[in-house]
């Protein structure tokens, strides 16, 4: 079955669910983090999804497709950094950290695999 929209991508679905999970967890972050860690982790996690959607729409142009996947991968790595800080500052538990970090490792791995084989995603 051919994938017709970015929402059908397993990678997108995992990234979207992870961003929603981060949003819900970050509601409990301290107020003084509102314009720093809270804002940054929400933005980067959402950006993984947005860049992946853009990449999918540019898939007929392999270089553009790979470039947007690279942006998505970078945002995933940034999200991992914010997860590290959230754990270090005791805003999330070890279990929450492990679950989120594992999800982003999978997301990043899937993005790298997509970028390594852009021909599989073309029209």
């Amino acid at each position: 079955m051919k994938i017709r929209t970015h929402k059908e991508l397993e990678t997108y679905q995992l990234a979207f669910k992870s961003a929603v999970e981060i949003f819900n967890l970050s509601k409990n972050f301290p107020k003084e983090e509102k314009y720093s860690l809270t804002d940054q982790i929400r933005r980067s996690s959402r950006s993984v999804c947005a860049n992946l959607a853009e990449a999918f729409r540019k898939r007929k142009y392999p270089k553009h497709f790979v470039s947007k996947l690279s942006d998505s991968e970078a945002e995933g790595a940034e999200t991992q950094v914010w997860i590290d800080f959230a754990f270090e500052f005791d805003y999330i538990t070890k279990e929450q950290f492990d679950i989120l970090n594992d999800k982003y490792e999978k997301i990043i791995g899937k993005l790298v695999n997509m970028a390594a084989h852009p021909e599989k995603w073309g029209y």
Side-chain angles (χ1 to χ4, degrees):
M1 183 170 88
K2 188 170 183 170
I3 294 175
R4 294 173 295 170
T5 174
H6 63 276
K7 291 182 180 183
E8 295 175 15
L9 295 168
E10 183 182 327
T11 310
Y12 177 85
Q13 293 168 7
L14 181 58
F16 188 89
K17 287 178 184 175
S18 299
V20 170
E21 184 177 350
I22 284 172
F23 175 81
N24 288 324
L25 284 172
S26 67
K27 287 179 182 180
N28 298 317
F29 289 2
K31 295 277 187 231
E32 64 266 16
E33 291 288 6
K34 183 176 181 177
Y35 298 109
S36 55
L37 191 139
T38 303
D39 184 51
Q40 292 289 5
I41 197 169
R42 287 176 179 180
R43 286 174 183 259
S44 65
S45 64
R46 291 171 182 172
S47 190
V48 174
C49 303
N51 280 297
L52 182 51
E54 285 187 57
F56 189 77
R57 291 296 169 194
K58 292 184 176 190
R59 68 193 184 280
K60 63 182 163 183
Y61 309 106
K63 289 182 181 180
H64 293 289
F65 176 68
V66 171
S67 176
K68 291 311 290 184
L69 289 174
S70 177
D71 292 344
S72 188
E73 177 190 345
E75 293 292 340
E78 180 182 338
T79 301
Q80 285 184 305
V81 171
W82 298 123
I83 292 167
D84 290 341
F85 278 113
F87 177 66
E88 183 67 25
F89 299 152
D90 293 322
Y91 300 159
I92 60 174
T93 67
K94 174 75 167 124
E95 181 182 9
Q96 291 167 325
F97 169 83
D98 289 341
I99 290 168
L100 284 171
N101 195 58
D102 184 56
K103 286 179 182 180
Y104 277 90
E105 283 295 316
K106 287 179 184 167
I107 292 164
I108 290 168
K110 288 176 181 295
L111 292 166
V112 168
N113 285 333
M114 288 175 76
H117 303 286
E119 71 282 354
K120 291 183 179 180
W121 302 98
Y123 284 96

